[in-house]
Amino acid sequence: MNTRTSLLVLALFSCLSAPMTLVAASLEEKYFETRDNFIRQFEKSIDPDWMTAMKKDEHALAELEKQLKAIVGPVNVEGFPKEGKINLETLQNGDLGFGQVDGLRFSAKQEYLFVTTDNILKKYLTGQPKLPKDLAELSRTGEFYTRAFTAGEAVTYFAEIPVKSANGKSYVRAFLGLTAQDIGPFIPKEIFVFVTKGNRILAVQSPAATEITEIPQCRNEWERFAKKSSDAMEVYRSSGLNNEKAFDERVQQYEQQGFEAYQRCYDREAKNQKFFASLKKQAQSIVDRLLRN
């Protein structure tokens, strides 16, 4: 075989053996181009008729959903339907639900599954300066799960739940968390799981199967700051209700500090509670289900 023939064969082989990831990447690029075009169109032409605007939004989301399904491919996780829906809720900038993480969402009873690809997630994160780019840090960031599962309520990290990857190749993480619209001494009752498998990123939100009890030490942490908030209220009242803005800011500061102290306490103390063994078992079961996909 001469040199020219060898080069031709090598070139042909290279084309035939090009990884499918290149094809997937081009599909992902087309998806973001289509998505951003829709967003720009809606920003330039705001329809005064909300019904017409909603129908245009639905049509655009349906088109993007088709593209996402082609990119993500078949999903078969035990306990979830095989057909997912686009995770984006709207393309109308400013509306509730705008800016959710691009991917597919699957619902089953009280559990939710989110699936995307690593390239889609990386592209999404480039436009989100408030979200960490490192997967390990992202996997314990409540805001990520808020954008993956719910737009109307915030997800808060409370306590790490140790899990492991059966294949030793996937990154896995689980934590005990809370979904709520407000802050306060609310007992966390949900498990959040994050798994990488191949070029996919999968996440699950699932209610804890065991009862999560109040931890007295953590309640005390909240009460300590609640006392400061109450004292601030008394000072405000005795001042003749002057400087309302400063008062509001001070009370909010104490409430936020108290909530953060409550969270940190759960992260310290949860592993010592009777309910923790059941949490570990449930979280590992979810990880195993995702890795079997």
Side-chain angles (χ1 to χ4, degrees), residues 245-262:
K245 180 181 178 181
F247 162 74
D248 289 342
E249 290 176 350
R250 193 172 184 184
V251 169
Q252 289 172 8
Q253 179 184 21
Y254 287 142
E255 288 180 349
Q256 185 63 40
Q257 290 175 350
F259 186 53
E260 290 171 357
Y262 188 70

Side-chain angles (χ1 to χ4, degrees), residues 106-222:
F106 303 78
S107 303
K109 295 182 180 179
Q110 293 179 298
E111 280 192 315
Y112 299 101
L113 166 68
F114 171 77
V115 184
T116 191
T117 69
D118 50 4
N119 285 333
I120 286 181
L121 183 58
K122 286 176 185 176
K123 176 69 173 178
Y124 173 81
L125 291 175
T126 59
Q128 304 295 328
K130 294 183 179 180
L131 288 177
K133 308 303 180 282
D134 176 69
L135 285 186
E137 188 178 352
L138 183 72
S139 65
R140 61 168 286 161
T141 302
E143 180 63 20
F144 166 72
Y145 297 90
T146 298
R147 298 188 188 200
F149 294 117
T150 171
E153 296 179 303
V155 175
T156 305
Y157 170 97
F158 266 73
E160 190 84 8
I161 304 175
V163 288
K164 59 184 180 180
S165 167
N167 61 27
K169 299 177 181 178
S170 298
Y171 174 80
V172 299
R173 181 171 227 149
F175 68 86
L176 175 64
L178 172 71
T179 302
Q181 292 180 323
D182 201 357
I183 62 173
F186 309 132
I187 299 174
K189 296 183 178 181
E190 292 173 296
I191 293 174
F192 294 87
V193 172
F194 185 100
V195 165
T196 66
K197 186 182 179 187
N199 72 328
R200 283 180 173 175
I201 307 292
L202 304 96
V204 164
Q205 175 186 349
S206 181
T210 189
E211 181 183 2
I212 311 299
T213 57
E214 179 69 276
I215 301 177
Q217 301 98 305
C218 302
R219 184 72 188 200
N220 290 339
E221 290 283 346
W222 169 264

Side-chain angles (χ1 to χ4, degrees), residues 28-38 40 64:
E28 288 162 353
E29 289 169 3
K30 179 186 175 185
Y31 166 80
F32 279 108
E33 182 181 353
T34 305
R35 187 202 69 172
D36 293 345
N37 282 338
F38 278 132
R40 283 191 290 267
L64 292 173

Side-chain angles (χ1 to χ4, degrees), residues 10 19 48 52 73 75 96-97 102 107 129 144 151 168 208 210 237 246 259 268 285:
L10 180 60
T52 302
V75 177
L96 179 65
D102 299 273
S107 303
F144 166 72
T210 189
R237 286 173 178 165
F259 186 53
R268 284 194 318 268
S285 174

